[in-house]
Amino acid sequence: MTPDTTALTIDRAHAHYGSREVLRGITAQVPSARLTAIAGANGAGKSSLLNLVAGVLPPSTGSVTRRDQGRVAYVTQQSEVSRSLPITVRATVTMGRWAHRGHWRRLSKMDRKIVGECLELLEITSIADRLIGTLSGGQRQRALVAQGLAQRAGLLLLDEPSAGLDLHARGLIDEALRAALAEGTTVLRVTHDLEVAGRADHCLLLQDGRLVGEGAPASVLTPARVAKAWGLPVIDGTARDVHGTPGAHLIRPVQ
Ligand SMILES: Nc1ncnc2c1ncn2[C@@H]1O[C@H](COP(=O)(O)OP(=O)(O)OP(=O)(O)O)[C@@H](O)[C@H]1O
């Protein structure tokens, strides 16, 4: 494997929503063409960090620097998208091509091919003509991921893309992201799920707006760090859940 180059550098970044400081002095590097997971408990600042990288939330101090200035695709959670939008699944995915062709131009053959491939990858071709407002949450989430992939961006940001999805759909997303990584896309994925974070190439662990771990998942997601980040006790070297049970899905550290 070639040594990682850095796609993105975050340097001593602080960020606020109004007077509330949500990111506190984050310094981190995101490797190029690799999957980086952003993990942490509810309210730790994961979505805020993604917003910072996307440029939606400007740093109050510090900086975010990208190595190349190519396109950024941002896949938000399906709950952020209005159910009343009168738009089909195919049109939603097609919007992903607007960055390339401008929405006033006709779709090229290549655009249609890419849209078709993304619909197939997420197994939503059969519902391509349905309005997104009529879909289940999981189906809408798949449509949004397909739209993100259709952008063929150099940097792909995803906020909990597999939240609420069944096992099969989670597998489809993992496969689709692997395909994007193989094409050289840098992927940054927010997740609650330590198993997902454990499979990433690189991991950023947040706690209360601070970065408390960065690097290979096995070195970041240790029992002690996981317990601390989720506010859980460590007993016999294992993070326990509120019932004292070791190895619960959300808190099991990487072996
Ligand atoms: N628009 C906003 N205005 C004010 N405060 C906000 C806003 N969005 C988030 N926050 C606050 O910022 C902090 C971090 O929120 P953020 O959504 O980044 O956390 P998270 O780790 O993604 O949480 P979750 O796992 O629950 O999605 C929280 O205290 C939250 O209440």
Side-chain angles (χ1 to χ4, degrees), residues 125-145:
T125 306
S126 62
I127 56 168
D129 295 325
R130 293 211 8 218
L131 294 174
I132 57 163
T134 67
L135 304 180
S136 73
Q139 290 169 328
R140 278 150 53 86
Q141 190 65 45
R142 280 149 77 164
L144 293 185
V145 172

Side-chain angles (χ1 to χ4, degrees), residues 42-231:
N42 286 142
K46 303 181 296 296
S47 299
S48 302
L49 183 57
L50 215 55
N51 283 339
L52 180 89
V53 170
V56 177
L57 176 64
S60 25
T61 58
S63 62
V64 178
T65 313
R66 279 187 68 198
R67 192 166 141 267
D68 82 74
Q69 295 303 309
R71 266 182 290 274
V72 181
Y74 191 0
V75 179
T76 57
Q77 294 190 29
Q78 57 89 13
S79 53
E80 307 269 318
V81 177
S82 169
R83 275 197 174 269
S84 59
L85 272 182
I87 182 171
T88 64
V89 170
R90 187 184 302 281
T92 301
V93 179
T94 301
M95 281 166 68
R97 300 305 300 158
W98 285 1
H100 292 256
R101 67 184 175 99
H103 58 266
W104 60 91
R105 295 222 330 258
R106 286 169 64 90
L107 282 182
S108 70
K109 231 182 190 167
M110 179 58 81
D111 290 325
R112 287 182 201 285
K113 183 169 172 282
I114 290 172
V115 169
E117 282 170 4
C118 294
L119 289 167
E120 280 294 303
L121 264 177
L122 275 301
E123 293 186 0
I124 48 175
T125 306
S126 62
I127 56 168
D129 295 325
R130 293 211 8 218
L131 294 174
I132 57 163
T134 67
L135 304 180
S136 73
Q139 290 169 328
R140 278 150 53 86
Q141 190 65 45
R142 280 149 77 164
L144 293 185
V145 172
Q147 184 193 69
L149 291 170
Q151 294 178 50
R152 294 284 196 267
L155 179 61
L156 177 58
L157 311 175
L158 305 111
D159 196 349
E160 292 276 4
S162 52
L165 294 189
D166 63 30
L167 220 60
H168 178 69
R170 283 166 184 252
L172 292 178
I173 293 208
D174 286 350
E175 248 172 66
L177 295 187
R178 267 196 293 277
L181 289 163
E183 296 283 319
T185 305
T186 299
V187 181
L188 203 48
R189 171 181 192 169
V190 165
T191 183
H192 278 106
D193 188 332
L194 288 187
E195 287 188 358
V196 169
R199 289 198 303 270
D201 301 305
H202 192 72
C203 181
L204 306 178
L205 179 63
L206 290 177
Q207 184 187 334
D208 196 21
R210 293 192 170 84
L211 189 75
V212 293
E214 178 184 14
S219 68
V220 171
L221 303 171
T222 59
R225 276 226 194 89
V226 167
K228 198 163 176 222
W230 269 264

